[in-house]
Amino acid sequence: MLSRRYILKGAVALLTVTPALTACATGPASNRTQTQSLAEPIAFSAWLDTDAGYAFYPTDKLDIQVPSAPELNRQAVVGQDGRISLPMAGQVMAAHKSVPQLEADIARAYAPYLRNPAVNVLPTDTPMRVIVGGEVKNGGWIDMSGDMDALQAVMAAGGFTPAARRKEVVIIRRGPSGQAMRRVINLQNVIDGRSGELFAIRRNDIIFVPRSNIAEAGVWVQQHVNDLIPSGIMTYLLYNSN
């Protein structure tokens, strides 16, 4: 889990740097050096290929059913801070929780008020999107039309710019532990028809195409992803905030 010091310093960096949707590598070299020095590096955890399974994310919609108290049935939206609001029980953290975990947490929240607090949670609207940024022509949120690999996501973002380092494309994903993981893949091999990684992407992955080196990924995420995701969700995606 990332310390509060890292999160606060990251927040200060976001307030200090002027947001933009272009890659942090653009502009004069002196400006790039000054900008990069403002950001606190993200402490990436080791990459795991294990599928962590379905988990709720901010902006997801869900149905909450309480069989013993139908008046408490309702639709809820996972807020920017990762929480949902419940009558009587107040706020419950939903982000990064599986359906059974969230059902158990809501049942515990209702336990002081209900004799039988059993709860059913049904996801109803879960946007299937990823973020593509860096040296691509039209970075931002990209809708996933079914299964999608990293190269398809880049092409959906308008393709590479001439300055793109296609051999060092960075994938950032929230891991099973809740902390951000980073992996570097070579898409130039795929384009050339040689052995390479098509690399299946998952909902809310961040695909970053650097200009100079992979170290730009953490800086770019801290400076620019907040333009694409409402304030608070970026911290949820990158840090283990329970």
Side-chain angles (χ1 to χ4, degrees):
M1 178 175 175
L2 201 63
S3 67
R4 185 179 297 272
R5 178 176 64 86
Y6 275 79
I7 296 176
L8 290 176
K9 286 189 176 182
V12 171
L14 284 170
L15 291 173
T16 306
V17 179
T18 301
L21 292 180
T22 55
C24 66
T26 59
S30 59
N31 290 343
R32 294 202 301 270
T33 302
Q34 181 179 10
T35 299
Q36 291 183 9
S37 67
L38 294 173
E40 186 76 13
I42 297 171
F44 293 105
S45 63
W47 185 273
L48 297 174
D49 287 319
T50 305
D51 190 348
Y54 180 84
F56 289 103
Y57 282 79
T59 74
D60 284 356
K61 297 178 182 179
L62 51 112
D63 276 331
I64 301 173
Q65 300 175 357
V66 187
S68 64
E71 66 275 12
L72 297 178
N73 293 352
R74 65 193 54 248
Q75 282 196 331
V77 178
V78 182
Q80 295 182 6
D81 60 357
R83 293 174 169 80
I84 56 174
S85 295
L86 302 174
M88 297 193 301
Q91 292 192 326
V92 172
M93 176 59 72
H96 198 52
K97 299 288 180 66
S98 66
V99 170
Q101 288 172 333
L102 184 55
E103 288 176 340
D105 288 351
I106 295 175
R108 278 193 293 271
Y110 277 138
Y113 311 102
L114 302 176
R115 190 167 294 184
N116 179 15
V119 173
N120 297 319
V121 174
L122 303 172
T124 60
D125 186 2
T126 55
M128 300 297 289
R129 301 185 299 175
V130 296
I131 295 174
V132 183
E135 292 298 326
V136 294
K137 295 176 182 176
N138 300 303
W141 281 111
I142 300 297
D143 291 325
M144 297 176 63
S145 52
D147 294 337
M148 179 179 280
D149 61 53
L151 182 57
Q152 289 173 327
V154 170
M155 293 301 105
F160 298 99
T161 68
R165 289 180 67 90
R166 305 178 187 189
K167 294 182 179 180
E168 294 185 340
V169 175
V170 180
I171 310 295
I172 298 174
R173 175 178 296 169
R174 186 173 168 87
S177 66
Q179 199 169 4
M181 307 182 298
R182 180 179 63 188
R183 180 166 177 170
V184 181
I185 62 175
N186 185 340
L187 290 184
Q188 185 62 54
N189 283 346
V190 179
I191 295 170
D192 293 341
R194 299 195 296 267
S195 176
E197 296 178 275
L198 286 174
F199 196 85
I201 55 177
R202 299 177 187 167
R203 185 169 72 111
N204 286 338
D205 278 358
I206 297 173
I207 298 97
F208 175 77
V209 181
R211 181 186 184 97
S212 59
N213 60 67
I214 62 173
E216 295 176 3
V219 177
W220 181 88
V221 166
Q222 289 182 325
Q223 294 176 356
H224 304 299
V225 169
N226 205 42
D227 276 358
L228 305 175
I229 310 176
S231 177
I233 300 181
M234 188 190 75
T235 300
Y236 159 72
L237 286 174
L238 297 178
Y239 305 111
N240 184 12
S241 54
N242 295 316

